[in-house]
Every structure is written in C-alpha cells, then in structure tokens.
C-alpha cells in the first residue's frame, strides 16, 4: 500500500491556492443558478427560486419549499414543506 504525504512547510493554503478555490466556488454557484433556472415546481409547473438560506427551492404559487440535500434539489411533492408564513405570497 502506498501513501501520498504532503510535506509542505505551512499547513495553510497559499494565496494562489485560495484564489483558485474562490474561482471554483463561484463557478459552482453559477452552475447551481443555471440549474435553478431550468427547474420547475412538480405540482404547478411554475418557476422556483432559491430561498434566502440557499438550502431549498421555493415555489411561491404553491407555497412549498423543496429541500436541497448534498447539492441535489429534491423535487418530490411528498418531500416539500409548506412555506413559512413570512415567505408566502402576499
């Protein structure tokens, strides 16, 4: 069995590595937004949007919140939760 060990003098990433990581997270966020734009509510077929905490997708027409688990939106009506009163359509 072979092990790869990093013998870096500093345990923290360099500025260059951090900048590259920031670019990757921004790219992931863009992909996520593109996914949100093509998803639809399974109940009314209307648009959905990310909630403020970005851990669920809102359908304001149906007043439902679809959870996001491990970066995967769970678009099942049985898994949806009713929207909190403050996020419901006026």
């Amino acid at each position: 069995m072979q092990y790869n060990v990093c013998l870096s003098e500093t345990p923290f990433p360099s500025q260059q590595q951090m900048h590259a990581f920031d670019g990757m997270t921004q790219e992931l966020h863009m992909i996520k937004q593109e996914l949100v734009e093509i998803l639809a509510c399974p109940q009314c077929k209307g648009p959905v949007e990310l909630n403020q905490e970005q851990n669920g997708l809102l359908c304001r027409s149906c007043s439902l919140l679809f959870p996001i688990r491990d970066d995967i939106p769970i678009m099942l009506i049985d898994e949806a939760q009713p929207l909190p009163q403050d996020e419901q359509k006026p």
Side-chain angles (χ1 to χ4, degrees):
M1 186 178 288
Q2 182 180 5
Y3 294 98
N4 292 330
V5 179
C6 177
L7 299 175
S8 174
E9 291 180 16
T10 61
F12 303 103
S14 69
Q15 288 293 97
Q16 185 179 11
Q17 290 169 326
M18 288 302 292
H19 182 68
F21 181 73
D22 286 343
M24 287 188 300
T25 57
Q26 287 174 357
E27 184 178 318
L28 289 175
H29 184 67
M30 287 174 57
I31 292 169
K32 213 178 217 183
Q33 183 58 38
E34 289 173 359
L35 178 60
V36 170
E37 290 173 3
I38 63 171
L39 288 174
C41 172
Q43 183 165 296
C44 72
K45 311 302 185 241
V48 293
E49 60 188 71
L50 276 170
N51 66 345
Q52 213 168 13
E53 296 84 22
Q54 295 193 355
N55 62 359
L57 293 171
L58 304 172
C59 175
R60 295 208 184 267
S61 298
C62 297
S63 297
L64 292 175
L65 174 66
F66 296 92
I68 298 175
R69 296 187 195 121
D70 298 323
D71 292 330
I72 300 169
I74 310 300
M75 302 301 289
L76 300 171
I77 297 170
D78 293 342
E79 293 286 323
Q81 299 294 316
L83 279 181
Q85 195 68 21
D86 62 333
E87 292 188 47
Q88 287 188 11
K89 198 171 162 180

